[in-house]
Amino acid sequence: AEEGAKFFMNVVAEHSANPRMLIVHEVMGRDCGYLAAATARAYRSMLDEREFVPGFGVTKERMDVHAIYIPEIPIDISAEAWRLKKIMDTVGNVNIFISEGAGVKDIVAEMEANGQEIPRDAFGHVKLDKVNPGAWFAQQFSSMIGAEKTLSQKSGYYSRAAPPNAEDRRLIQSCCTYAVSHCAARREPGVVGHDEDNNDLLRAVEFSRIKGGKPFDISVNWFIQMQKEISHYGMDQAPIPAMSPRVGKSDLPPGAKRIAILTAGGLAPCLSSAIGALVERYTELHPGNEIICYRGGYKGVLLGDSFVVGKKEREMAHLLHLWGGSPIGNSRVKLTNVKDCVKRGLVKEGENPQKVAADQMIKDGVDILHTIGGDDTNTAAADLAAFLQQNNYKLCVVGMPKTIDNDVYPIKQSLGAWTAAEEGAKFFMNVVAESTANPRMLIIHEVMGRDCGYLTAATAHAYRKLLKKRTFLPGIGLTEEHLDVHAVFIPELPIDINGEAIRLKRIMDRLHCINIFISEGAGVQDILKEMDARGEEVPRDAFGHVKLDKVNPGEWFGKQFAAMLGAEKTLIQKSGYYSRAAPANRADLRLIQSSAALAVDCAMRGEGGVIGHDEDQGGVLRAIEFPRIKGGKPFNTKQEWFQELLAEIHQTGHLPTTQVAERGHVEDVYVVEATNIYRPSSASRFKGTE
């Protein structure tokens, strides 16, 4: 429960990635809702200890749990949709905690009514991975509450593979002490636990009384109280003032400037902190200037949706360093994509989005614009400034580079990338213990990175550094080698599937587990060729990028290697949203502070550009000229630390070519909700590869 709460404490910041966001947190629990309820309780306890910044939209109401659905309580979809719609309209987002077994009867009834066969396992249980309650609820509520985007996240493997917390260790110690000193010594059999039928006495409960399927007691006081508090949301509730009022025309002191801030693109662990750092710096050196923020990136500019950073917000700006996401909101809006802007209702048919944005800047009287985003965000701002210049309006644009991929030319280190790697490493430090859940286990850790392998490589590097700090116990199988990274696949390095299968098969035969780190963009060209050969259309987004969630490289590699390595079970886990929504770590905070300080200085003297360490000028921190800013910078695989990593895990690239790895039967590998892949027992007679 505690680990699931920690997981969601990162993920919840994803509500700022898009307006009207619905986040569904699916928690393990087929027939019992205890874990979902306890996780929600633990999360809300953590939330009570946090400080909020209402003026910037960082409110408890936005971060809180708005609904809990468990198998023990029937769900009135219509009534809940009405309540959640009111929450969405007032708060701006909705967070739902759900047991994986909640609502299964309704889903099964719907499937049967549609003439669909109910998937069941060998024990007759409904296959929850096929029924997928989380996705079902997300689909039901999405249109009913007017969600613009829905994100479903599962904390199950992250939570269950974690080491015990202090409370569990105390329980484990007392049980083990009793089991050894009392039960074993007296040859008294049973299951050691606090017996509910005997005043919760710790004793050896008779085997004949042990039975599964105990429902969660929904009458416990803490659950009743939590339900009351949660049900308050949406019931006769006045709109929550997320931020300060929208900016209006005001008279500024002589010489004072109006500074605007916006964040755009995907999230990174720097946005909140970068806003805080800019506000702090201006307040310290230029308190007479007015600061406004556009809500939702360029969407806010097009709609004229902004607010003034008041005195109270300035005083509380330091708290933004403690939060992930973007308190002022993001959106993926490209000013040059006219069709998409019209479709979203941001501009009218026949209007030029760039001109609409420029007119709004003039109307708002903006002198300086700070953009915090990737190459698209910052170059779009530069184009906007150039457009305004042609119309005799001077706008100084000073950007700050945000991307977890660290793939912007010629910037040495983009904001948030260090944190994303560290958080991905922490994520896998929990998940890796799943290697003990099944013999011949293959775990694939898929990391964000469309065209650049930096984040995958840096995450593997950070994870191995964490591993070096741990103590092992080889005598009982707890070895560094079992928990280590065995392969790193990134877009910049060609992947010899045959050679790697031979190498990894040897490791699998010796260790009975394999751990692979893979960029979400690795091997995409091979997958696209396979799709073309089958006559399938390649799915692409509004920017023309291949939709990686549809292509799913992790799943593709999982299928290939599961068959070739003779893996009995394959688990695919993605750390992307967990990593990118986290607050900035110490290294990133230092980089953000220095970048923000220079950004303010440059802005006040009218020097535009993107702040970063210029690789073409000796790594000096400066305002880099916009024409030189470009995305798509590949990861430099020749760096010493990465070459050492590959050498240590024996992924040298010099593999035998005379041997051919047996392909196995990929068709015998079936995918479970794109996170688990299993080989049925009928396909487990693997003959070997050499």
Side-chain angles (χ1 to χ4, degrees):
E2 184 180 287
E3 292 297 318
K6 290 178 184 176
F7 175 88
F8 196 72
M9 188 58 77
N10 269 24
V11 171
V12 70
E14 280 290 329
H15 80 265
S16 64
N18 210 77
R20 298 184 70 86
M21 186 81 163
L22 167 61
I23 303 180
V24 177
H25 180 199
E26 187 175 321
V27 182
M28 285 185 168
R30 174 184 291 274
D31 301 309
C32 178
Y34 166 81
L35 185 57
T39 302
R41 182 193 189 195
Y43 170 72
R44 298 185 80 238
S45 294
M46 291 179 183
L47 214 55
D48 286 338
E49 298 175 3
R50 301 295 296 269
E51 287 189 84
F52 301 94
V53 199
F56 280 101
V58 184
T59 66
K60 184 178 180 181
E61 289 81 5
R62 284 189 160 188
M63 308 292 179
D64 209 347
V65 180
H66 302 124
I68 303 171
Y69 302 136
I70 58 177
E72 291 83 355
I73 299 177
I75 305 164
D76 185 337
I77 296 289
S78 298
E80 277 296 275
W82 178 84
R83 184 178 71 87
L84 294 176
K85 173 73 162 55
K86 292 187 71 175
I87 296 173
M88 182 68 85
D89 292 341
T90 54
V91 179
N93 63 281
V94 168
N95 306 316
I96 297 175
F97 278 45
I98 177 176
S99 290
E100 62 180 353
V104 169
K105 291 180 180 178
D106 296 316
I107 301 172
V108 169
E110 184 180 290
M111 292 178 69
E112 288 177 338
N114 294 331
Q116 295 176 255
E117 184 180 352
I118 309 302
R120 299 182 184 275
D121 61 20
F123 299 93
H125 300 145
V126 174
K127 288 184 177 179
L128 296 179
D129 51 284
K130 296 292 185 182
V131 172
N132 207 336
W136 186 83
F137 274 102
Q139 187 176 11
Q140 296 293 315
F141 284 124
S142 183
S143 58
M144 297 172 78
I145 67 177
E148 287 191 19
K149 185 178 178 182
T150 301
L151 175 66
S152 182
Q153 289 285 280
K154 303 180 181 184
S155 61
Y157 294 108
Y158 173 88
S159 301
R160 79 175 196 176
N165 64 7
E167 197 170 357
D168 260 321
R169 283 199 299 272
R170 285 192 293 270
L171 179 60
I172 291 166
Q173 290 286 2
S174 62
C175 288
C176 289
T177 299
Y178 189 85
V180 173
S181 62
H182 185 89
C183 300
R186 299 184 182 185
R187 301 184 65 80
E188 181 182 340
V191 178
V192 176
H194 292 272
D195 191 339
E196 291 182 304
D197 297 335
N198 281 281
N199 298 317
D200 292 337
L201 184 68
L202 183 65
R203 59 185 297 274
V205 182
E206 297 77 11
F207 284 111
S208 58
R209 295 176 54 216
I210 298 297
K211 188 173 68 170
K214 184 181 79 171
F216 169 54
D217 182 3
I218 60 175
S219 67
V220 292
N221 291 333
W222 63 263
F223 182 69
I224 293 174
Q225 182 59 33
M226 183 168 65
Q227 287 287 77
K228 285 181 180 178
E229 293 171 4
I230 289 174
S231 64
H232 164 72
Y233 290 122
M235 305 302 289
D236 301 322
Q237 186 179 357
I240 296 169
M243 305 173 189
S244 299
R246 175 183 165 182
V247 64
K249 291 182 178 179
S250 60
D251 296 324
L252 296 177
K257 298 179 182 295
R258 177 169 288 166
I259 293 100
I261 300 173
L262 69 79
T263 62
L267 295 188
C270 64
L271 298 173
S272 183
S273 184
I275 295 167
L278 287 171
V279 172
E280 286 178 304
R281 188 68 172 177
Y282 274 113
T283 301
E284 178 188 0
L285 299 181
H286 311 285
N289 289 342
E290 185 178 70
I291 304 173
I292 70 171
C293 293
Y294 285 105
R295 296 183 178 98
Y298 286 114
K299 177 180 180 179
V301 177
L302 292 174
L303 298 178
D305 187 8
S306 56
F307 68 95
V308 175
V309 178
K311 182 176 182 295
K312 188 175 181 181
E313 286 73 52
R314 289 178 184 238
E315 292 172 352
M316 300 179 72
H318 64 282
L319 295 175
L320 294 178
H321 298 301
L322 306 176
W323 291 94
S326 171
I328 61 178
N330 274 24
S331 65
R332 290 184 178 273
V333 173
K334 197 168 186 177
L335 297 178
T336 54
N337 192 334
V338 180
K339 187 177 179 181
D340 185 58
C341 289
V342 171
K343 182 182 177 181
R344 295 190 188 196
L346 303 178
V347 297
K348 297 176 182 177
E349 192 75 47
E351 286 186 324
N352 179 356
Q354 196 172 59
K355 185 178 186 307
V356 172
D359 290 344
Q360 188 61 52
M361 288 281 179
I362 295 172
K363 181 181 178 182
D364 290 339
V366 175
D367 300 300
I368 295 168
L369 174 63
H370 286 291
T371 52
I372 309 166
D375 57 296
D376 281 342
T377 299
N378 287 304
T379 52
D383 292 342
L384 190 61
F387 184 87
L388 286 165
Q389 184 72 38
Q390 294 171 5
N391 291 274
N392 300 316
Y393 186 91
K394 188 176 181 181
L395 173 69
C396 180
V397 179
V398 181
M400 295 176 70
K402 169 258 7 159
T403 168
I404 59 177
D405 295 334
N406 197 30
D407 64 345
V408 179
Y409 286 107
I411 295 171
K412 183 177 181 180
Q413 187 68 34
S414 59
L415 309 181
W418 281 328
T419 305
E422 183 180 285
E423 291 296 317
K426 291 177 183 176
F427 176 89
F428 196 72
M429 188 57 77
N430 270 25
V431 171
V432 70
E434 282 291 328
S435 63
T436 62
N438 212 81
R440 300 187 69 84
M441 187 78 167
L442 169 61
I443 302 180
I444 294 181
H445 180 197
E446 186 175 320
V447 182
M448 284 186 170
R450 176 182 294 276
D451 301 308
C452 178
Y454 166 82
L455 184 57
T456 302
T459 301
H461 183 55
Y463 170 73
R464 298 186 81 240
K465 285 171 70 175
L466 291 178
L467 207 57
K468 296 291 184 187
K469 298 177 182 179
R470 304 295 291 268
T471 304
F472 302 95
L473 196 57
I476 61 170
L478 185 60
T479 71
E480 183 177 352
E481 199 174 11
H482 280 85
L483 304 179
D484 206 352
V485 179
H486 302 123
V488 179
F489 299 140
I490 57 177
E492 291 84 355
L493 293 178
I495 303 168
D496 179 357
I497 296 285
N498 179 73
E500 279 298 279
I502 292 171
R503 182 179 72 86
L504 295 174
K505 174 67 164 53
R506 291 171 178 163
I507 299 173
M508 178 68 89
D509 291 343
R510 184 163 52 86
L511 300 179
H512 304 289
C513 63
I514 291 290
N515 305 315
I516 297 176
F517 278 45
I518 177 175
S519 293
E520 62 179 353
V524 167
Q525 295 307 315
D526 294 318
I527 302 171
L528 296 184
K529 287 178 184 177
E530 192 176 286
M531 292 179 71
D532 284 336
R534 293 197 300 264
E536 297 178 32
E537 184 180 354
V538 177
R540 298 182 184 275
D541 62 19
F543 297 90
H545 301 144
V546 174
K547 289 185 176 180
L548 295 178
D549 56 312
K550 300 293 184 182
V551 172
N552 210 332
E555 178 186 322
W556 187 82
F557 275 101
K559 281 189 171 184
Q560 300 300 314
F561 283 119
M564 298 169 81
L565 305 182
E568 289 191 17
K569 182 180 177 182
T570 300
L571 174 68
I572 300 174
Q573 289 286 280
K574 303 180 182 183
S575 60
Y577 293 110
Y578 173 87
S579 300
R580 77 175 198 171
N585 67 5
R586 289 185 180 181
D588 263 317
L589 283 173
R590 286 193 292 270
L591 180 59
I592 291 166
Q593 292 283 9
S594 60
S595 298
L598 182 59
V600 171
D601 292 344
C602 289
M604 292 304 294
R605 61 173 178 258
E607 182 183 345
V610 178
I611 304 298
H613 292 89
D614 193 334
E615 290 183 303
D616 297 337
Q617 296 199 24
V620 175
L621 185 66
R622 58 185 298 271
I624 302 171
E625 299 77 13
F626 282 109
R628 296 176 55 217
I629 297 297
K630 188 173 68 170
K633 182 181 79 172
F635 169 56
N636 180 9
T637 62
K638 301 300 182 184
Q639 293 181 77
E640 185 178 351
W641 65 265
F642 183 65
Q643 287 298 314
E644 287 178 358
L645 185 153
L646 293 181
E648 288 172 5
I649 66 175
H650 307 294
Q651 186 180 332
T652 62
H654 303 293
L655 301 165
T657 57
T658 57
Q659 301 174 36
V660 179
E662 183 177 322
R663 284 279 171 174
H665 301 285
V666 176
E667 63 273 12
D668 288 335
V669 180
Y670 66 90
V671 180
V672 180
E673 61 183 76
T675 54
N676 298 305
I677 298 176
Y678 295 89
R679 282 177 59 85
S681 57
S682 60
S684 63
R685 297 186 298 276
F686 196 78
K687 297 178 181 178
T689 61
E690 301 172 24

